[in-house]
Amino acid sequence: MFKIFKYHPASFFVKYDYSYVKEELMRCLQEVKKQTGLLFCKQNGRETALPIKNILSISQKDHFAEITMCDGTVNVIHASLGTLKNQLGYRFFLINRSEVVNLDYIRSTNGKELNLIDGRRFCVSRRKQKAFLSLYCAYDDHFLVKEGY
């Protein structure tokens, strides 16, 4: 009578196609990860969770991404910029092919260049300037254009 408990419950859920169940579980896991406010990544072979709100910028170098945090620490992980950008959400913008910045931590910009609160300066690619300015103006109510840094 109790032999049923010796088997995994998923065995009785779907008997023919486990790939669909796996896809659904992975989709649910991605949704949960988005809602936690954490960026999950592998660093030195182990899973690490970084608070998204504390990320200043992400730079791509070769096959590695350097994630700069508010406190000045830099986390180097093996991931592509596109993969990370998809996990981050609306407050991040890809300003050129190798850098993503957090719009919350921009001190000033003139559309072509921007300064982060830690003093670093980034160039916005010509193709992204119009989209960056329109997004930043809509995102930040206190938009100030400073020239001549």
Side-chain angles (χ1 to χ4, degrees):
M1 179 175 171
F2 294 105
K3 288 183 180 181
I4 193 169
F5 295 111
K6 290 183 180 180
Y7 300 102
H8 196 276
S11 300
F12 299 98
F13 183 58
V14 176
K15 294 231 182 238
Y16 59 93
D17 188 12
Y18 288 106
S19 63
Y20 174 74
V21 175
K22 182 180 177 183
E23 289 173 18
E24 277 301 306
L25 288 174
M26 293 305 289
R27 187 189 61 76
C28 291
L29 182 62
Q30 290 299 326
E31 284 298 315
V32 168
K33 285 182 176 182
K34 282 183 184 178
Q35 293 175 4
T36 60
L38 297 171
L39 174 67
F40 293 91
C41 52
K42 286 201 174 192
Q43 184 178 20
N44 297 330
R46 58 177 236 252
E47 190 84 14
T48 306
L50 302 171
I52 291 175
K53 66 180 180 179
N54 293 344
I55 296 175
L56 281 176
S57 65
I58 303 174
S59 299
Q60 183 78 40
K61 302 216 171 145
D62 295 327
H63 298 290
F64 295 94
E66 293 181 352
I67 301 174
T68 305
M69 306 299 284
C70 290
D71 61 1
T73 59
V74 177
N75 298 292
V76 179
I77 62 169
H78 185 71
S80 71
L81 208 53
T83 303
L84 295 174
K85 174 71 176 86
N86 290 338
Q87 293 180 42
L88 294 173
Y90 67 92
R91 67 167 50 123
F92 290 85
F93 188 80
L94 181 69
I95 57 170
N96 56 45
R97 287 194 299 177
S98 62
E99 293 165 330
V100 173
V101 295
N102 188 337
L103 298 175
D104 291 335
Y105 297 111
I106 295 175
R107 176 177 287 153
S108 62
T109 184
N110 63 3
K112 296 178 183 179
E113 292 181 340
L114 60 91
N115 287 331
L116 291 181
I117 61 168
D118 65 349
R120 291 182 300 146
R121 184 181 297 178
F122 293 94
C123 292
V124 181
S125 72
R126 282 181 294 161
R127 294 180 184 162
K128 305 265 184 175
Q129 287 175 3
K130 185 176 180 181
F132 169 71
L133 274 177
S134 64
L135 179 67
Y136 187 68
C137 289
Y139 185 77
D140 189 14
D141 296 331
H142 308 291
F143 179 67
L144 296 174
V145 176
K146 293 185 178 181
E147 298 196 22
Y149 302 166

